[in-house]
Amino acid sequence: MNLTQLNDAVGEFLEARPAVEQGIETGVRDLWVHTYAECATIDAAIYTPIISLTLQGQKEVRWGAHSEVFCPGDSFVVSHDLPVQSRVVRASQQEPFRALALNLDVPLLRDLHHELDRPLPIDDDANVIESSVADDELVAAFGRYFMLNSDESAMRLMGPIIRREIHARLLLAPNARMLRRLLDQESQAAQIAKAIVHIRQNLSTKLSVDRLSRLSGMSLRSFHAHFKSITDTTPLQYQKELRLIEARRLMQAEGKAVGTAAFEVGYESPTQFSREFARRFGQPPSRDTAQSASL
């Protein structure tokens, strides 16, 4: 199955489902379809470790000082949980933006790496989001995995095999440099990943950078340097970004009041929360929520 055939198959899959944009479960383990029928405004989100394959249209993703546009045939890999800004820059009713995204299993990647005769080369000049044009074999594997959604028996039998194949092909791909750094659980990349998990699990508590550096087994100076080299931000800025994105989700998706959402993510002052929210999203939280509800 080539890219055009996979895009057509995803289009047929979407025709039988309600016109819901963004993440749609395919019924296949960890595999999602993302689709937009029109160009979108800049949105804030938290990317978790994934590999995404763009099928149609174009999408821009920004993080820190970086920005990249992904086109049909491009695959991009996210190695760590990362707050980003994204927007669809090419889409229409006739040719909506479409992409497949597979949640990555880092322990599986480590298991696969152990099966190799020799370690894969490690590149220190790696980025938390890396892209490349997907080769025919990776596209075909994605296609075979996606097509399991129509056959439950095949899904049970072949799903684990094809999922493993995709991870194996990714391990050898040019855009998996940061993932390969994660394979060594004592590496700085793996230690920063642990720190990120701690921040996300304790989002509403006051951040102790000293504690994070000890958790990571690094000096404070070293921890700051490695954290910024991977996330392109500081630990405190990273936590603030996660808090604002999560508070926005609580208000828009769960209908939480501004003060309630602010408190749940760790803000003690609703005034400070509203000020930082407006600085981040361009308008106060009450107006942002009302605008979202009207769409």
Side-chain angles (χ1 to χ4, degrees):
M1 179 177 284
N2 60 32
L3 190 73
T4 299
Q5 293 168 331
L6 178 53
N7 180 50
D8 290 344
V10 171
E12 292 177 7
F13 169 84
L14 293 172
E15 285 178 0
R17 282 154 181 80
V20 178
E21 293 187 334
Q22 302 183 35
I24 300 170
E25 293 184 86
T26 63
V28 182
R29 181 182 176 185
D30 292 336
L31 187 66
W32 298 74
V33 174
H34 294 270
T35 181
Y36 293 82
E38 59 185 23
C39 295
T41 57
I42 295 175
D43 191 23
I46 302 170
Y47 279 3
T48 55
I50 60 166
I51 175 172
S52 178
L53 175 63
T54 303
L55 304 175
Q56 185 169 271
Q58 295 180 2
K59 186 175 188 178
E60 179 186 19
V61 177
R62 304 175 186 173
W63 69 101
H66 303 275
S67 176
E68 193 163 352
V69 175
F70 303 110
C71 303
D74 288 344
S75 71
F76 71 84
V77 175
V78 183
S79 60
H80 295 68
D81 292 7
L82 186 71
V84 302
Q85 298 180 67
S86 66
R87 66 187 181 112
V88 171
V89 295
R90 182 178 178 183
S92 66
Q93 294 289 338
Q94 293 73 32
E95 292 189 3
F97 172 84
R98 292 184 192 134
L100 287 172
L102 178 68
N103 298 333
L104 290 179
D105 185 338
V106 175
L108 174 57
L109 288 168
R110 288 196 179 106
D111 289 344
L112 290 167
H113 186 249
H114 289 324
E115 295 181 16
L116 294 174
D117 293 335
R118 59 186 182 278
L120 291 168
I122 301 297
D123 189 341
D124 290 334
D125 186 26
N127 214 324
V128 68
I129 297 181
E130 295 202 321
S131 69
S132 66
V133 176
D135 60 30
D136 294 343
E137 289 78 11
L138 181 61
V139 172
F142 258 101
R144 285 183 277 109
Y145 197 52
F146 172 76
M147 294 305 292
L148 294 176
N149 74 82
S150 60
D151 189 333
E152 190 171 335
S153 296
M155 191 187 308
R156 279 199 299 271
L157 294 172
M158 299 301 299
I161 298 172
I162 303 174
R163 181 173 175 269
R164 184 179 177 88
E165 177 190 352
I166 293 173
H167 280 73
R169 293 192 178 282
L170 172 59
L171 193 62
L172 302 170
N175 57 341
R177 296 185 302 167
M178 182 63 81
L179 279 179
R180 289 196 285 271
R181 286 174 59 183
L182 278 170
L183 299 179
D184 178 2
Q185 298 191 55
E186 301 304 317
S187 68
Q188 288 94 350
Q191 297 305 316
I192 294 302
K194 289 181 185 177
I196 287 173
V197 169
H198 181 83
I199 294 173
R200 294 205 66 177
Q201 291 178 343
N202 300 275
L203 193 59
S204 63
T205 61
K206 186 175 180 179
L207 185 66
S208 169
V209 182
D210 283 338
R211 182 179 180 185
L212 287 176
S213 66
R214 292 194 300 271
L215 179 69
S216 304
M218 304 179 196
S219 68
L220 188 59
R221 183 175 180 178
S222 178
F223 174 74
H224 264 287
H226 287 296
F227 193 96
K228 186 156 190 178
S229 72
I230 289 175
T231 66
D232 210 31
T233 189
T234 67
L236 290 172
Q237 290 170 330
Y238 182 92
Q239 185 196 50
K240 181 195 291 187
E241 187 79 1
L242 294 189
R243 282 179 166 181
L244 291 172
I245 292 173
E246 174 61 11
R248 193 185 200 199
R249 186 195 69 80
L250 290 171
M251 291 183 290
Q252 293 184 353
E254 299 185 17
K256 298 287 181 70
V258 173
T260 301
F263 177 77
E264 287 193 15
V265 299
Y267 279 89
E268 297 179 358
S269 167
T271 302
Q272 180 189 2
F273 168 71
S274 295
R275 183 170 59 249
E276 293 185 355
F277 187 99
R279 188 181 300 124
R280 174 64 183 80
F281 297 112
Q283 57 187 357
S286 55
R287 188 184 304 166
D288 183 80
T289 303
Q291 183 179 41
S292 175
S294 66
L295 295 179

